[in-house]
Amino acid sequence: MTAPQTYDVCVIGSGPGGYVAAIRAAQLGLSTACIERESLGGVCLNWGCIPTKALLRSAEILELCHRAGEFGVGVTGITADFSAMVERSRGISRKISKGVAYLFRKNKVDHIQGTARLLGAGRIAVTTGAPGSSPKAPGHPWRGTGDAGEQTVAAKNIIVATGARARSLPGIELDGDVVIAYREALTLPALPGSMIILGAGAIGVEFASFYRSLGTEVTIVEYMPTLVPNEDADIAAELARAFKKRGIKALTKKKVTRAKVAGGRVTVDIEPAAGGPSETLSADKLLVAVGVTGNIEDLGLEALGIGTSRGTIEVDQSLQTAVRGIYAIGDVIGAPALAHVASAEGVFVAEHIAGHSPHPVPYDAVPACTYCHPEIASVGLTEEKARAQGIAIKVGKFPFGPLGKTMAAGEYPGLVKFIWDENSGALVGAHMIGPAVTDLIASPTLAKTTEVNAESFIHTIFAHPTFAEAMKEAAEDATGMAIHI
């Protein structure tokens, strides 16, 4: 091995947690390196958040073209170039990955290409070589590297930010061709005629929305009673209505017990979640979207006594593992598995290492966004959870439909739902489905982390005509003051 190079901080993984942690550490004057065995930006920039949103934007444009007549615009010869959509999304990912490389150079973060393994406190072995030269397990977000060489990196502090990969279920084997995960769904060589999607969380409904826009026959199978089961019941019900209108079939309270591939198609056996007679479905593709599991294998965790649980690394309140000086952030430490949470954790750990007193990550005020059509966004507790916790609440709702902006834009008439603490006036939860809600959620998220209450919303002047007016009216509805409903 070559002689170790010593850093103040070394980050393993360059996703939205890892690269942000590395840059923040460098900004604070710490010598920093980041080890990555595939492309800078991790799953989010290369195989998750960014390319999926690029595809969904293409689908949105296609649907608007089909509706052009509603807006007095004549359009003929509308076609969908699936391969061009995929290539556009890949190009955007490549561009943003290069942007991370630029930020590393700007902030003097050393980028080390290779596969990391912990040797002990302060020491990391890095196998270097050509990225992607080793076989990749289906559904795994990272390829291995060649065995061209090995070096040792020394660091006073180590941050593990290795992310997560798609998981499957017993009896369902990902083959990367017919039975696929999100990574393969982003780069299919041709548009499938039919697709079964297992799981109705954010990933499942986003791909359902995209592929349905292009004409694929889509069936969602979900074990829980509703689509997007982590969302408020009113939001889930509204999404079900919207998807039904779009021709997306949703089978809830169902489970897939077996998937068999033959002749380039997949046949799945489905049973009621509570038990009962089974049915059989077949399609060109089966997309498994039942969640993720942390990338904890082959890191050397067990040898160091670093605890793991259900595919994640155990950490304390400072996000430090059982070994002093080794931290973990992002999806590899478990839910909420969201890019913006990983980034917040990265900043927190970097500032903690630098000797600052950073604000803890506000896990009770994390916004969640789903970019299907219509969009979904939420923060805080659902009405059901708030009542289960015995919180005295006031609920206000307002549909987007009556808004002038909604009518002018020809957008889907979803709704805003605010849940307020009846005693303190504090925001307990905000839940939205409809136009631009993934941007609108920033306002109630700010309310959750400050002293903004229902009265503040009511007495704030919202610009007209905007989609944001629905939030003001929802706040007013909780106190019986809504004007336009």
Side-chain angles (χ1 to χ4, degrees), residues 203-268:
I203 293 174
V205 298
E206 285 183 3
F207 277 113
S209 188
F210 169 71
Y211 278 105
R212 183 59 191 148
S213 293
L214 272 65
T216 300
E217 293 295 325
V218 176
T219 301
I220 303 173
V221 181
E222 169 57 47
Y223 183 83
M224 300 297 286
T226 67
L227 300 178
V228 287
N230 290 329
E231 299 292 343
D232 188 271
D234 286 336
I235 303 303
E238 189 67 28
L239 181 65
R241 285 190 287 270
F243 271 19
K244 183 177 181 180
K245 185 176 181 180
R246 295 181 60 191
I248 297 172
K249 183 182 293 185
L251 304 177
T252 57
K253 295 191 285 187
K254 302 282 188 178
K255 60 182 177 181
V256 173
T257 57
R258 188 177 72 102
K260 182 179 179 180
V261 176
R265 286 175 61 83
V266 62
T267 300
V268 299

Short mmCIF file of all heavy atoms in Angstrom, two decimals, residues 203-268:
data_model
loop_
_atom_site.label_atom_id
_atom_site.label_comp_id
_atom_site.label_asym_id
_atom_site.label_seq_id
_atom_site.Cartn_x
_atom_site.Cartn_y
_atom_site.Cartn_z
N ILE A 203 -41.79 6.53 -5.01
CA ILE A 203 -41.17 6.01 -6.23
C ILE A 203 -42.20 5.32 -7.11
O ILE A 203 -42.24 5.54 -8.33
CB ILE A 203 -40.03 5.03 -5.87
CG1 ILE A 203 -38.89 5.78 -5.18
CG2 ILE A 203 -39.51 4.31 -7.11
CD1 ILE A 203 -37.78 4.87 -4.66
N GLY A 204 -43.05 4.51 -6.51
CA GLY A 204 -44.04 3.77 -7.28
C GLY A 204 -45.02 4.67 -8.01
O GLY A 204 -45.27 4.49 -9.21
N VAL A 205 -45.57 5.68 -7.32
CA VAL A 205 -46.58 6.51 -7.97
C VAL A 205 -45.96 7.48 -8.96
O VAL A 205 -46.59 7.88 -9.94
CB VAL A 205 -47.46 7.26 -6.95
CG1 VAL A 205 -48.23 6.27 -6.07
CG2 VAL A 205 -46.66 8.23 -6.11
N GLU A 206 -44.71 7.87 -8.74
CA GLU A 206 -44.05 8.74 -9.72
C GLU A 206 -43.83 8.00 -11.04
O GLU A 206 -44.11 8.55 -12.12
CB GLU A 206 -42.72 9.25 -9.17
CG GLU A 206 -42.88 10.35 -8.13
CD GLU A 206 -41.57 10.91 -7.62
OE1 GLU A 206 -40.50 10.51 -8.13
OE2 GLU A 206 -41.61 11.77 -6.72
N PHE A 207 -43.33 6.77 -10.98
CA PHE A 207 -43.14 6.01 -12.21
C PHE A 207 -44.49 5.64 -12.84
O PHE A 207 -44.61 5.60 -14.07
CB PHE A 207 -42.30 4.76 -11.96
CG PHE A 207 -40.82 5.03 -11.97
CD1 PHE A 207 -40.07 4.91 -10.82
CD2 PHE A 207 -40.19 5.41 -13.15
CE1 PHE A 207 -38.69 5.17 -10.83
CE2 PHE A 207 -38.82 5.67 -13.18
CZ PHE A 207 -38.07 5.56 -12.02
N ALA A 208 -45.49 5.38 -12.02
CA ALA A 208 -46.83 5.12 -12.56
C ALA A 208 -47.31 6.31 -13.35
O ALA A 208 -47.87 6.18 -14.45
CB ALA A 208 -47.80 4.80 -11.42
N SER A 209 -47.11 7.51 -12.81
CA SER A 209 -47.54 8.74 -13.46
C SER A 209 -46.80 8.94 -14.77
O SER A 209 -47.41 9.26 -15.81
CB SER A 209 -47.29 9.93 -12.52
OG SER A 209 -47.85 11.11 -13.03
N PHE A 210 -45.48 8.73 -14.76
CA PHE A 210 -44.68 8.93 -15.97
C PHE A 210 -45.07 7.97 -17.07
O PHE A 210 -45.39 8.38 -18.20
CB PHE A 210 -43.19 8.78 -15.64
CG PHE A 210 -42.33 8.73 -16.87
CD1 PHE A 210 -42.14 9.86 -17.64
CD2 PHE A 210 -41.73 7.54 -17.27
CE1 PHE A 210 -41.36 9.81 -18.80
CE2 PHE A 210 -40.95 7.47 -18.41
CZ PHE A 210 -40.76 8.62 -19.18
N TYR A 211 -45.06 6.68 -16.76
CA TYR A 211 -45.30 5.69 -17.81
C TYR A 211 -46.74 5.76 -18.33
O TYR A 211 -46.98 5.53 -19.52
CB TYR A 211 -44.94 4.29 -17.32
CG TYR A 211 -43.46 4.02 -17.43
CD1 TYR A 211 -42.64 4.03 -16.30
CD2 TYR A 211 -42.87 3.78 -18.66
CE1 TYR A 211 -41.28 3.81 -16.41
CE2 TYR A 211 -41.51 3.56 -18.78
CZ TYR A 211 -40.71 3.58 -17.65
OH TYR A 211 -39.36 3.37 -17.77
N ARG A 212 -47.69 6.10 -17.47
CA ARG A 212 -49.06 6.22 -17.94
C ARG A 212 -49.20 7.38 -18.93
O ARG A 212 -49.96 7.30 -19.90
CB ARG A 212 -50.02 6.40 -16.76
CG ARG A 212 -51.49 6.46 -17.17
CD ARG A 212 -51.90 5.19 -17.89
NE ARG A 212 -53.20 5.31 -18.53
CZ ARG A 212 -53.55 4.70 -19.65
NH1 ARG A 212 -52.66 3.93 -20.29
NH2 ARG A 212 -54.75 4.85 -20.15
N SER A 213 -48.46 8.46 -18.68
CA SER A 213 -48.51 9.61 -19.58
C SER A 213 -48.07 9.23 -20.99
O SER A 213 -48.53 9.81 -21.97
CB SER A 213 -47.61 10.74 -19.05
OG SER A 213 -48.11 11.28 -17.86
N LEU A 214 -47.20 8.23 -21.10
CA LEU A 214 -46.69 7.81 -22.40
C LEU A 214 -47.52 6.69 -23.01
O LEU A 214 -47.19 6.20 -24.09
CB LEU A 214 -45.23 7.37 -22.28
CG LEU A 214 -44.18 8.49 -22.43
CD1 LEU A 214 -44.29 9.49 -21.29
CD2 LEU A 214 -42.77 7.92 -22.48
N GLY A 215 -48.57 6.27 -22.31
CA GLY A 215 -49.48 5.28 -22.87
C GLY A 215 -49.33 3.87 -22.33
O GLY A 215 -50.08 2.97 -22.74
N THR A 216 -48.39 3.63 -21.45
CA THR A 216 -48.23 2.31 -20.85
C THR A 216 -49.43 1.98 -19.96
O THR A 216 -49.90 2.83 -19.22
CB THR A 216 -46.94 2.25 -20.00
OG1 THR A 216 -45.82 2.53 -20.85
CG2 THR A 216 -46.74 0.90 -19.34
N GLU A 217 -49.91 0.74 -20.05
CA GLU A 217 -50.96 0.29 -19.14
C GLU A 217 -50.32 -0.02 -17.79
O GLU A 217 -49.45 -0.88 -17.69
CB GLU A 217 -51.64 -0.96 -19.70
CG GLU A 217 -52.44 -0.72 -20.96
CD GLU A 217 -53.62 0.21 -20.71
OE1 GLU A 217 -54.21 0.14 -19.62
OE2 GLU A 217 -53.94 1.01 -21.61
N VAL A 218 -50.74 0.69 -16.77
CA VAL A 218 -50.09 0.61 -15.46
C VAL A 218 -51.04 0.07 -14.41
O VAL A 218 -52.19 0.53 -14.29
CB VAL A 218 -49.57 2.00 -15.01
CG1 VAL A 218 -48.99 1.92 -13.60
CG2 VAL A 218 -48.53 2.52 -15.99
N THR A 219 -50.55 -0.92 -13.64
CA THR A 219 -51.29 -1.45 -12.49
C THR A 219 -50.40 -1.35 -11.26
O THR A 219 -49.27 -1.85 -11.26
CB THR A 219 -51.69 -2.92 -12.71
OG1 THR A 219 -52.51 -3.01 -13.87
CG2 THR A 219 -52.46 -3.45 -11.51
N ILE A 220 -50.89 -0.70 -10.22
CA ILE A 220 -50.16 -0.59 -8.96
C ILE A 220 -50.71 -1.60 -7.98
O ILE A 220 -51.93 -1.71 -7.80
CB ILE A 220 -50.29 0.83 -8.36
CG1 ILE A 220 -49.80 1.89 -9.35
CG2 ILE A 220 -49.52 0.93 -7.05
CD1 ILE A 220 -50.06 3.31 -8.87
N VAL A 221 -49.81 -2.31 -7.31
CA VAL A 221 -50.21 -3.25 -6.27
C VAL A 221 -49.62 -2.76 -4.95
O VAL A 221 -48.40 -2.62 -4.82
CB VAL A 221 -49.71 -4.68 -6.57
CG1 VAL A 221 -50.17 -5.65 -5.48
CG2 VAL A 221 -50.21 -5.14 -7.94
N GLU A 222 -50.46 -2.50 -3.97
CA GLU A 222 -50.02 -1.94 -2.69
C GLU A 222 -50.59 -2.77 -1.54
O GLU A 222 -51.79 -3.05 -1.51
CB GLU A 222 -50.46 -0.49 -2.57
CG GLU A 222 -50.31 0.13 -1.19
CD GLU A 222 -48.89 0.08 -0.65
OE1 GLU A 222 -47.96 0.44 -1.40
OE2 GLU A 222 -48.71 -0.32 0.52
N TYR A 223 -49.74 -3.13 -0.60
CA TYR A 223 -50.14 -3.94 0.55
C TYR A 223 -51.06 -3.17 1.50
O TYR A 223 -52.00 -3.73 2.06
CB TYR A 223 -48.89 -4.41 1.29
CG TYR A 223 -49.16 -5.32 2.46
CD1 TYR A 223 -49.36 -6.69 2.27
CD2 TYR A 223 -49.21 -4.82 3.76
CE1 TYR A 223 -49.61 -7.53 3.33
CE2 TYR A 223 -49.46 -5.66 4.84
CZ TYR A 223 -49.66 -7.01 4.62
OH TYR A 223 -49.91 -7.84 5.69
N MET A 224 -50.80 -1.89 1.66
CA MET A 224 -51.58 -1.08 2.59
C MET A 224 -52.94 -0.71 1.99
O MET A 224 -53.17 -0.88 0.79
CB MET A 224 -50.79 0.17 2.97
CG MET A 224 -49.47 -0.14 3.65
SD MET A 224 -49.67 -0.99 5.23
CE MET A 224 -50.26 0.37 6.25
N PRO A 225 -53.86 -0.15 2.79
CA PRO A 225 -55.21 0.14 2.29
C PRO A 225 -55.28 1.28 1.27
O PRO A 225 -56.30 1.40 0.59
CB PRO A 225 -55.98 0.51 3.57
CG PRO A 225 -55.21 -0.09 4.69
CD PRO A 225 -53.79 -0.02 4.27
N THR A 226 -54.26 2.12 1.19
CA THR A 226 -54.34 3.28 0.30
C THR A 226 -53.05 3.44 -0.49
O THR A 226 -51.99 2.91 -0.13
CB THR A 226 -54.57 4.58 1.09
OG1 THR A 226 -53.41 4.87 1.89
CG2 THR A 226 -55.79 4.47 1.99
N LEU A 227 -53.14 4.21 -1.57
CA LEU A 227 -51.93 4.70 -2.22
C LEU A 227 -51.22 5.66 -1.28
O LEU A 227 -51.83 6.17 -0.33
CB LEU A 227 -52.30 5.43 -3.52
CG LEU A 227 -53.05 4.64 -4.60
CD1 LEU A 227 -53.36 5.55 -5.78
CD2 LEU A 227 -52.25 3.43 -5.05
N VAL A 228 -49.96 5.91 -1.53
CA VAL A 228 -49.13 6.79 -0.68
C VAL A 228 -49.53 6.65 0.79
O VAL A 228 -50.02 7.60 1.41
CB VAL A 228 -49.16 8.26 -1.15
CG1 VAL A 228 -48.36 8.43 -2.43
CG2 VAL A 228 -50.59 8.79 -1.37
N PRO A 229 -49.34 5.47 1.37
CA PRO A 229 -49.87 5.20 2.71
C PRO A 229 -49.31 6.07 3.83
O PRO A 229 -49.91 6.13 4.91
CB PRO A 229 -49.53 3.72 2.93
CG PRO A 229 -48.46 3.40 1.95
CD PRO A 229 -48.69 4.29 0.77
N ASN A 230 -48.17 6.74 3.60
CA ASN A 230 -47.64 7.62 4.64
C ASN A 230 -48.28 9.00 4.64
O ASN A 230 -48.03 9.81 5.53
CB ASN A 230 -46.12 7.77 4.46
CG ASN A 230 -45.37 6.50 4.80
OD1 ASN A 230 -45.80 5.73 5.66
ND2 ASN A 230 -44.25 6.28 4.15
N GLU A 231 -49.10 9.28 3.62
CA GLU A 231 -49.73 10.59 3.53
C GLU A 231 -51.07 10.60 4.25
O GLU A 231 -51.63 9.57 4.60
CB GLU A 231 -49.93 10.98 2.06
CG GLU A 231 -48.65 11.09 1.25
CD GLU A 231 -47.76 12.24 1.68
OE1 GLU A 231 -48.24 13.17 2.37
OE2 GLU A 231 -46.56 12.22 1.32
N ASP A 232 -51.59 11.81 4.46
CA ASP A 232 -52.90 11.99 5.09
C ASP A 232 -53.98 11.29 4.26
O ASP A 232 -53.90 11.24 3.02
CB ASP A 232 -53.19 13.48 5.21
CG ASP A 232 -54.43 13.76 6.01
OD1 ASP A 232 -55.53 13.81 5.40
OD2 ASP A 232 -54.33 13.93 7.23
N ALA A 233 -54.99 10.76 4.93
CA ALA A 233 -56.04 9.99 4.26
C ALA A 233 -56.75 10.79 3.17
O ALA A 233 -57.10 10.26 2.11
CB ALA A 233 -57.05 9.48 5.28
N ASP A 234 -56.98 12.09 3.40
CA ASP A 234 -57.65 12.91 2.40
C ASP A 234 -56.80 13.05 1.14
O ASP A 234 -57.33 13.09 0.02
CB ASP A 234 -57.97 14.30 2.96
CG ASP A 234 -59.11 14.28 3.96
OD1 ASP A 234 -59.94 13.35 3.89
OD2 ASP A 234 -59.18 15.19 4.81
N ILE A 235 -55.49 13.13 1.32
CA ILE A 235 -54.59 13.27 0.18
C ILE A 235 -54.55 11.96 -0.61
O ILE A 235 -54.60 11.95 -1.84
CB ILE A 235 -53.18 13.65 0.65
CG1 ILE A 235 -53.22 14.94 1.47
CG2 ILE A 235 -52.23 13.77 -0.54
CD1 ILE A 235 -53.82 16.13 0.77
N ALA A 236 -54.47 10.85 0.11
CA ALA A 236 -54.44 9.54 -0.55
C ALA A 236 -55.71 9.30 -1.35
O ALA A 236 -55.67 8.78 -2.47
CB ALA A 236 -54.25 8.44 0.49
N ALA A 237 -56.84 9.69 -0.79
CA ALA A 237 -58.12 9.51 -1.48
C ALA A 237 -58.18 10.36 -2.74
O ALA A 237 -58.69 9.92 -3.79
CB ALA A 237 -59.27 9.85 -0.55
N GLU A 238 -57.66 11.57 -2.66
CA GLU A 238 -57.67 12.45 -3.83
C GLU A 238 -56.76 11.90 -4.93
O GLU A 238 -57.09 11.96 -6.11
CB GLU A 238 -57.22 13.86 -3.43
CG GLU A 238 -57.38 14.91 -4.51
CD GLU A 238 -58.83 15.19 -4.85
OE1 GLU A 238 -59.70 15.02 -3.97
OE2 GLU A 238 -59.08 15.59 -6.01
N LEU A 239 -55.61 11.35 -4.54
CA LEU A 239 -54.71 10.77 -5.54
C LEU A 239 -55.37 9.57 -6.21
O LEU A 239 -55.25 9.37 -7.43
CB LEU A 239 -53.39 10.35 -4.91
CG LEU A 239 -52.38 9.74 -5.89
CD1 LEU A 239 -51.93 10.79 -6.91
CD2 LEU A 239 -51.18 9.15 -5.17
N ALA A 240 -56.08 8.75 -5.43
CA ALA A 240 -56.77 7.59 -6.00
C ALA A 240 -57.77 8.02 -7.06
O ALA A 240 -57.88 7.41 -8.13
CB ALA A 240 -57.46 6.80 -4.89
N ARG A 241 -58.50 9.12 -6.80
CA ARG A 241 -59.47 9.62 -7.77
C ARG A 241 -58.76 10.11 -9.04
O ARG A 241 -59.19 9.86 -10.16
CB ARG A 241 -60.30 10.75 -7.15
CG ARG A 241 -61.35 10.27 -6.18
CD ARG A 241 -62.29 11.39 -5.78
NE ARG A 241 -61.65 12.34 -4.88
CZ ARG A 241 -61.66 12.24 -3.55
NH1 ARG A 241 -62.27 11.22 -2.97
NH2 ARG A 241 -61.07 13.15 -2.80
N ALA A 242 -57.66 10.82 -8.83
CA ALA A 242 -56.92 11.35 -9.98
C ALA A 242 -56.33 10.24 -10.84
O ALA A 242 -56.40 10.29 -12.08
CB ALA A 242 -55.81 12.28 -9.48
N PHE A 243 -55.76 9.23 -10.19
CA PHE A 243 -55.16 8.12 -10.94
C PHE A 243 -56.23 7.30 -11.67
O PHE A 243 -56.02 6.85 -12.79
CB PHE A 243 -54.36 7.23 -9.99
CG PHE A 243 -52.92 7.66 -9.84
CD1 PHE A 243 -52.51 8.94 -10.17
CD2 PHE A 243 -51.97 6.78 -9.37
CE1 PHE A 243 -51.19 9.34 -10.05
CE2 PHE A 243 -50.63 7.16 -9.24
CZ PHE A 243 -50.24 8.44 -9.58
N LYS A 244 -57.38 7.12 -11.03
CA LYS A 244 -58.46 6.39 -11.69
C LYS A 244 -58.90 7.14 -12.95
O LYS A 244 -59.15 6.52 -14.00
CB LYS A 244 -59.64 6.22 -10.74
CG LYS A 244 -60.79 5.41 -11.33
CD LYS A 244 -61.90 5.21 -10.30
CE LYS A 244 -63.03 4.37 -10.90
NZ LYS A 244 -64.13 4.16 -9.91
N LYS A 245 -58.98 8.45 -12.86
CA LYS A 245 -59.37 9.27 -14.01
C LYS A 245 -58.35 9.14 -15.14
O LYS A 245 -58.71 9.20 -16.32
CB LYS A 245 -59.50 10.73 -13.56
CG LYS A 245 -60.02 11.65 -14.64
CD LYS A 245 -60.22 13.06 -14.09
CE LYS A 245 -60.76 14.00 -15.17
NZ LYS A 245 -60.95 15.38 -14.64
N ARG A 246 -57.09 8.93 -14.78
CA ARG A 246 -56.03 8.80 -15.78
C ARG A 246 -55.90 7.38 -16.31
O ARG A 246 -55.06 7.12 -17.18
CB ARG A 246 -54.70 9.25 -15.18
CG ARG A 246 -54.63 10.72 -14.82
CD ARG A 246 -53.27 11.08 -14.27
NE ARG A 246 -52.23 10.83 -15.26
CZ ARG A 246 -50.92 10.87 -14.99
NH1 ARG A 246 -50.51 11.12 -13.76
NH2 ARG A 246 -50.04 10.64 -15.94
N GLY A 247 -56.68 6.45 -15.78
CA GLY A 247 -56.63 5.08 -16.26
C GLY A 247 -55.55 4.23 -15.60
O GLY A 247 -55.17 3.18 -16.13
N ILE A 248 -55.07 4.66 -14.45
CA ILE A 248 -54.10 3.86 -13.69
C ILE A 248 -54.88 2.96 -12.73
O ILE A 248 -55.65 3.45 -11.90
CB ILE A 248 -53.14 4.77 -12.89
CG1 ILE A 248 -52.32 5.63 -13.85
CG2 ILE A 248 -52.21 3.94 -12.01
CD1 ILE A 248 -51.47 6.69 -13.17
N LYS A 249 -54.68 1.67 -12.86
CA LYS A 249 -55.38 0.73 -12.00
C LYS A 249 -54.62 0.58 -10.68
O LYS A 249 -53.40 0.37 -10.68
CB LYS A 249 -55.50 -0.64 -12.68
CG LYS A 249 -56.29 -1.66 -11.86
CD LYS A 249 -56.35 -3.02 -12.55
CE LYS A 249 -57.16 -2.98 -13.82
NZ LYS A 249 -57.31 -4.33 -14.43
N ALA A 250 -55.31 0.68 -9.57
CA ALA A 250 -54.69 0.57 -8.26
C ALA A 250 -55.35 -0.57 -7.47
O ALA A 250 -56.56 -0.55 -7.25
CB ALA A 250 -54.81 1.87 -7.48
N LEU A 251 -54.55 -1.54 -7.09
CA LEU A 251 -55.01 -2.66 -6.27
C LEU A 251 -54.41 -2.52 -4.88
O LEU A 251 -53.23 -2.79 -4.68
CB LEU A 251 -54.59 -4.00 -6.90
CG LEU A 251 -55.03 -4.24 -8.36
CD1 LEU A 251 -54.48 -5.57 -8.86
CD2 LEU A 251 -56.55 -4.21 -8.47
N THR A 252 -55.20 -2.05 -3.93
CA THR A 252 -54.72 -1.88 -2.57
C THR A 252 -55.13 -3.07 -1.71
O THR A 252 -55.99 -3.86 -2.08
CB THR A 252 -55.27 -0.57 -1.96
OG1 THR A 252 -56.70 -0.59 -2.03
CG2 THR A 252 -54.75 0.63 -2.74
N LYS A 253 -54.51 -3.16 -0.55
CA LYS A 253 -54.70 -4.29 0.37
C LYS A 253 -54.42 -5.62 -0.34
O LYS A 253 -55.10 -6.61 -0.14
CB LYS A 253 -56.10 -4.28 0.98
CG LYS A 253 -56.35 -3.07 1.88
CD LYS A 253 -57.62 -3.20 2.68
CE LYS A 253 -58.83 -2.95 1.82
NZ LYS A 253 -60.09 -2.91 2.61
N LYS A 254 -53.37 -5.58 -1.18
CA LYS A 254 -52.98 -6.77 -1.94
C LYS A 254 -51.48 -7.01 -1.76
O LYS A 254 -50.71 -6.09 -1.50
CB LYS A 254 -53.27 -6.59 -3.43
CG LYS A 254 -54.72 -6.30 -3.77
CD LYS A 254 -55.57 -7.55 -3.72
CE LYS A 254 -56.98 -7.27 -4.25
NZ LYS A 254 -57.83 -8.48 -4.25
N LYS A 255 -51.07 -8.24 -1.93
CA LYS A 255 -49.65 -8.58 -1.87
C LYS A 255 -49.29 -9.50 -3.02
O LYS A 255 -50.09 -10.35 -3.44
CB LYS A 255 -49.30 -9.24 -0.54
CG LYS A 255 -50.03 -10.54 -0.25
CD LYS A 255 -49.64 -11.08 1.12
CE LYS A 255 -50.42 -12.36 1.46
NZ LYS A 255 -50.06 -12.88 2.79
N VAL A 256 -48.07 -9.31 -3.55
CA VAL A 256 -47.54 -10.18 -4.59
C VAL A 256 -46.76 -11.30 -3.91
O VAL A 256 -45.84 -11.05 -3.14
CB VAL A 256 -46.63 -9.40 -5.56
CG1 VAL A 256 -45.95 -10.35 -6.54
CG2 VAL A 256 -47.45 -8.35 -6.32
N THR A 257 -47.14 -12.52 -4.18
CA THR A 257 -46.49 -13.67 -3.54
C THR A 257 -45.44 -14.33 -4.42
O THR A 257 -44.56 -15.03 -3.92
CB THR A 257 -47.54 -14.73 -3.15
OG1 THR A 257 -48.27 -15.12 -4.32
CG2 THR A 257 -48.50 -14.15 -2.12
N ARG A 258 -45.56 -14.11 -5.74
CA ARG A 258 -44.60 -14.75 -6.64
C ARG A 258 -44.56 -14.01 -7.95
O ARG A 258 -45.57 -13.46 -8.40
CB ARG A 258 -45.01 -16.21 -6.89
CG ARG A 258 -43.97 -17.03 -7.67
CD ARG A 258 -44.46 -18.47 -7.78
NE ARG A 258 -45.59 -18.58 -8.70
CZ ARG A 258 -45.49 -19.04 -9.95
NH1 ARG A 258 -44.33 -19.44 -10.42
NH2 ARG A 258 -46.56 -19.12 -10.73
N ALA A 259 -43.39 -13.96 -8.54
CA ALA A 259 -43.23 -13.37 -9.87
C ALA A 259 -42.42 -14.33 -10.72
O ALA A 259 -41.33 -14.75 -10.33
CB ALA A 259 -42.53 -12.02 -9.77
N LYS A 260 -42.94 -14.67 -11.88
CA LYS A 260 -42.28 -15.62 -12.77
C LYS A 260 -42.08 -14.97 -14.14
O LYS A 260 -43.02 -14.41 -14.71
CB LYS A 260 -43.10 -16.89 -12.91
CG LYS A 260 -42.46 -17.96 -13.79
CD LYS A 260 -43.33 -19.20 -13.86
CE LYS A 260 -42.69 -20.27 -14.75
NZ LYS A 260 -43.53 -21.49 -14.85
N VAL A 261 -40.86 -15.06 -14.65
CA VAL A 261 -40.53 -14.50 -15.95
C VAL A 261 -40.46 -15.60 -16.99
O VAL A 261 -39.82 -16.64 -16.79
CB VAL A 261 -39.19 -13.74 -15.90
CG1 VAL A 261 -38.79 -13.24 -17.29
CG2 VAL A 261 -39.25 -12.59 -14.91
N ALA A 262 -41.13 -15.38 -18.10
CA ALA A 262 -41.10 -16.34 -19.22
C ALA A 262 -41.46 -15.61 -20.50
O ALA A 262 -42.40 -14.81 -20.52
CB ALA A 262 -42.07 -17.50 -18.98
N GLY A 263 -40.69 -15.88 -21.54
CA GLY A 263 -40.98 -15.28 -22.84
C GLY A 263 -40.90 -13.77 -22.85
O GLY A 263 -41.62 -13.12 -23.61
N GLY A 264 -40.04 -13.20 -22.01
CA GLY A 264 -39.88 -11.76 -21.99
C GLY A 264 -40.97 -11.01 -21.27
O GLY A 264 -41.03 -9.77 -21.34
N ARG A 265 -41.87 -11.72 -20.58
CA ARG A 265 -42.92 -11.09 -19.79
C ARG A 265 -42.90 -11.65 -18.38
O ARG A 265 -42.24 -12.65 -18.10
CB ARG A 265 -44.30 -11.34 -20.43
CG ARG A 265 -44.54 -10.51 -21.69
CD ARG A 265 -45.86 -10.87 -22.33
NE ARG A 265 -47.03 -10.63 -21.46
CZ ARG A 265 -47.62 -9.44 -21.32
NH1 ARG A 265 -47.16 -8.38 -21.95
NH2 ARG A 265 -48.69 -9.33 -20.56
N VAL A 266 -43.60 -10.98 -17.50
CA VAL A 266 -43.65 -11.41 -16.11
C VAL A 266 -45.10 -11.71 -15.72
O VAL A 266 -46.03 -11.00 -16.10
CB VAL A 266 -43.06 -10.35 -15.17
CG1 VAL A 266 -43.84 -9.04 -15.24
CG2 VAL A 266 -43.00 -10.86 -13.73
N THR A 267 -45.28 -12.79 -14.98
CA THR A 267 -46.59 -13.16 -14.42
C THR A 267 -46.47 -13.12 -12.91
O THR A 267 -45.53 -13.67 -12.33
CB THR A 267 -47.00 -14.57 -14.87
OG1 THR A 267 -47.07 -14.60 -16.30
CG2 THR A 267 -48.35 -14.94 -14.30
N VAL A 268 -47.40 -12.43 -12.26
CA VAL A 268 -47.35 -12.31 -10.81
C VAL A 268 -48.62 -12.88 -10.19
O VAL A 268 -49.71 -12.77 -10.75
CB VAL A 268 -47.17 -10.84 -10.37
CG1 VAL A 268 -45.87 -10.28 -10.91
CG2 VAL A 268 -48.34 -9.98 -10.81
#
